[in-house]
């Protein structure tokens, strides 16, 4: 996908893998997350939003999504976005868009 060091801290980077739009985020703790890039409330790119702690906020309507679970933490969104597994190998990030985390 890209180099781990190419992902800015506390910002989202929009990537497309296998036709799937993904918001790639490195949080303030230095951990990378990959969640579906499209807000479930409106067809808006989440990568254009705001990263705060372990959330990504949609810039258009303010819904915050958990980077760990994809669940919306604030309205108006009420449906989660998918969360994808990330592998970092030799400093590069790999994402399989067909493999999502199972969130209970």
């Amino acid at each position: 996908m890209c180099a781990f060091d190419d992902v800015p801290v506390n910002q989202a980077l929009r990537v497309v893998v296998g036709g799937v739009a993904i918001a790639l985020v490195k949080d303030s703790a230095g951990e990378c997350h990959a969640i579906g890039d499209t807000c479930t409330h409106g067809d808006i790119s989440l990568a254009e939003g705001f990263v705060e702690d372990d959330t990504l906020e949609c810039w258009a309507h303010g819904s915050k999504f958990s980077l760990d679970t994809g669940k919306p933490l604030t309205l108006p969104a009420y449906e989660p976005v998918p969360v994808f597994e990330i592998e970092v190998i030799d400093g590069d990030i790999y994402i399989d868009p067909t493999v999502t985390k199972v969130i209970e």
Side-chain angles (χ1 to χ4, degrees):
M1 182 68 319
C2 65
F4 183 83
D5 292 338
D6 288 346
V7 181
V9 175
N10 286 331
Q11 293 182 19
L13 177 66
R14 184 180 191 272
V15 297
V16 178
V17 182
V20 177
I22 297 172
L24 189 57
V25 178
K26 187 186 297 181
D27 64 22
S28 59
E31 185 176 343
C32 265
H33 306 268
I35 68 172
D37 184 50
T38 305
C39 179
T40 56
H41 172 255
D43 195 18
I44 304 291
S45 171
L46 290 175
E48 296 176 20
F50 312 102
V51 178
E52 184 178 329
D53 298 322
D54 61 349
T55 65
L56 180 55
E57 180 179 345
C58 178
W59 64 269
H61 300 110
S63 289
K64 288 185 179 183
F65 293 87
S66 167
L67 295 173
D68 294 319
T69 66
K71 293 179 181 178
L73 304 174
T74 60
L75 294 173
Y78 57 89
E79 291 292 325
V81 294
V83 177
F84 301 95
E85 294 285 341
I86 291 179
E87 282 190 86
V88 179
I89 301 171
D90 296 328
D92 292 324
I93 296 173
Y94 294 88
I95 303 169
D96 183 343
T98 65
V99 179
T100 55
K101 290 184 178 181
V102 177
I103 309 299
E104 297 181 29

